[in-house]
Amino acid sequence: MKIRKAVFPVAGLGTRVLPATKAMPKEMLTIVDKPLIQYVYDEAREAGIEHFIFVTGRNKGVIEDHFDKMFELDTTLAARGNKKAEQEILARNQPEAGATSFTRQQAPLGLGHAVWCARDIVGDEPFAVVLPDELVLNDPGCLKQMIQAAEKLGGKSNLLAVEPVPDELTHQYGICGVGKRLASNMFEVDGMIEKPAKGTAPSNLSITGRYILQPEIFKILETQERGAGGEIQLTDAMIGLAKSQKFYGVEFEGERHDCGSKPGFLRANIAYGMARDDLREGLRAEMKKYLEK
Ligand code: G1P
């Protein structure tokens, strides 16, 4: 079955990047010239997603505005006549009317709870979850790679994007164990654990912020108890679902950038700037100056 819907949990407080996120949502932090949320929306659209579900919270209204039509801007640019390039940028970034839904998490109870808040909008079909503070720079995008893998597998398959992390960092992530290999970049998941204590991780493969899940996860999330960090964890619900359905790990192509951390945010700006034909040379020259200081 086609994956038509993606859930974007955007209710987080963004405490790792304060004070930038005091009055502005983390998801509106800008990498080069686009907010994070626009990158993940574009990635989902490229992957064939048709409906974009944002699980928001207080202070996040600007995300809804970002995906709205901006009448003043459109008419002003149209009246100027010569600003076709800007008009095209706006049109390209714009979801179709009715293709977005916004629902509120109301309380910061964890990623599992955020996903559960989207249950009625997702309904009874497989869906993607995309965490907006993680960007993967690659063509095709990470979600497209996952959806292509899901289509090949068929059936009630659940897929996780995974990436190796240094052993000393496994306690910061959800980690999955590696079972039977199906391809050089895909394996059956053999156990998962959220934020394992140091030295107890079953592998160094961390769950990255891209998931394809079957709707049966919602029933499990409904009664999911709090786990690591006192939060309702998506990983714990996936452990429950893995008792009756298959989970696959996909070692995707591309580099993950954790833009919800200050070093990750800076690195992403450099990586995405260097990937742009119009900015690369100037940026390289500037960086050289700083490196020589
Ligand atoms: C969440 C997930 C975790 C995953 C991580 C990726 O954790 O719970 O399994 O590895 O995202 O960034 P968080 O970063 O919200 O603590």
Side-chain angles (χ1 to χ4, degrees):
M1 191 176 186
K2 189 169 163 19
I3 317 289
R4 301 188 306 125
K5 297 181 180 176
V7 175
F8 302 87
V10 294
L13 295 176
T15 48
R16 287 187 299 156
V17 275
L18 277 168
T21 46
K22 207 175 154 207
M24 184 186 69
K26 168 175 72 170
E27 298 76 15
M28 292 303 290
L29 286 173
T30 304
I31 304 295
V32 184
D33 57 3
K34 282 201 295 190
L36 287 175
I37 196 69
Q38 183 76 54
Y39 281 97
V40 288
Y41 166 84
D42 290 345
E43 181 185 332
R45 199 158 83 158
E46 177 218 16
I49 296 296
E50 295 165 6
H51 197 96
F52 306 84
I53 303 164
F54 300 88
V55 182
T56 73
R58 281 168 58 77
N59 248 344
K60 302 282 182 164
V62 68
I63 297 175
E64 194 163 347
D65 290 342
H66 178 76
F67 287 113
D68 198 1
K69 246 188 162 4
M70 198 175 168
F71 182 73
E72 305 91 309
L73 200 53
D74 287 351
T75 42
T76 310
L77 291 177
R80 285 186 195 162
N82 60 348
K83 292 284 179 187
K84 203 154 178 290
E86 278 100 333
Q87 281 176 277
E88 275 169 13
I89 289 172
L90 288 180
R92 207 171 43 236
N93 293 348
Q94 176 76 52
E96 279 169 40
T100 52
S101 294
F102 296 84
T103 186
R104 285 211 174 199
Q105 190 181 8
Q106 296 177 331
L109 297 178
L111 177 60
H113 179 256
V115 171
W116 180 72
C117 290
R119 66 200 178 281
D120 283 347
I121 308 171
V122 171
D124 190 25
E125 57 181 285
F127 63 103
V129 175
V130 180
L131 306 189
D133 50 6
E134 297 206 321
L135 295 188
V136 178
L137 180 55
N138 199 66
D139 181 13
C142 184
L143 195 62
K144 187 165 183 179
Q145 297 173 46
M146 308 255 313
I147 288 184
Q148 283 171 345
E151 281 167 355
K152 269 195 209 142
L153 288 164
K156 289 255 172 208
S157 309
N158 299 270
L159 289 87
L160 310 175
V162 300
E163 191 190 59
V165 291
D167 289 339
E168 63 275 16
L169 296 184
T170 49
H171 68 285
Q172 296 180 4
Y173 295 93
I175 301 289
C176 62
V178 181
K180 190 174 134 204
R181 282 234 160 239
L182 304 186
S184 60
N185 66 340
M186 191 156 62
F187 57 87
E188 284 181 10
V189 169
D190 179 17
M192 292 169 257
I193 178 163
E194 181 66 19
K195 311 224 164 65
K198 285 189 182 172
T200 66
S203 80
N204 70 339
L205 285 177
S206 69
I207 302 174
T208 307
R210 306 287 183 273
Y211 310 72
I212 308 272
L213 296 171
Q214 298 297 326
E216 288 77 14
I217 194 82
F218 292 123
K219 265 259 153 301
I220 299 173
L221 282 169
E222 206 169 290
T223 54
Q224 186 60 55
E225 285 178 10
R226 292 174 186 237
E231 296 189 338
I232 298 173
Q233 295 290 352
L234 181 59
T235 305
D236 293 342
M238 295 194 301
I239 292 168
L241 187 57
K243 290 178 188 151
S244 57
Q245 293 183 3
K246 288 259 187 228
F247 275 75
Y248 300 92
V250 178
E251 290 159 295
F252 56 88
E253 297 271 325
E255 199 182 4
R256 158 175 42 187
H257 297 278
D258 175 11
C259 303
S261 77
K262 288 177 194 179
F265 171 73
L266 288 171
R267 194 178 69 141
N269 266 294
I270 295 169
Y272 281 76
M274 289 299 284
R276 286 265 298 257
D277 291 343
D278 57 334
L279 299 174
R280 187 178 308 111
E281 282 319 309
L283 183 57
R284 193 197 303 276
E286 285 298 324
M287 283 194 301
K288 202 157 174 271
K289 272 200 276 176
Y290 280 97
L291 288 171
E292 281 162 4
K293 264 187 190 169

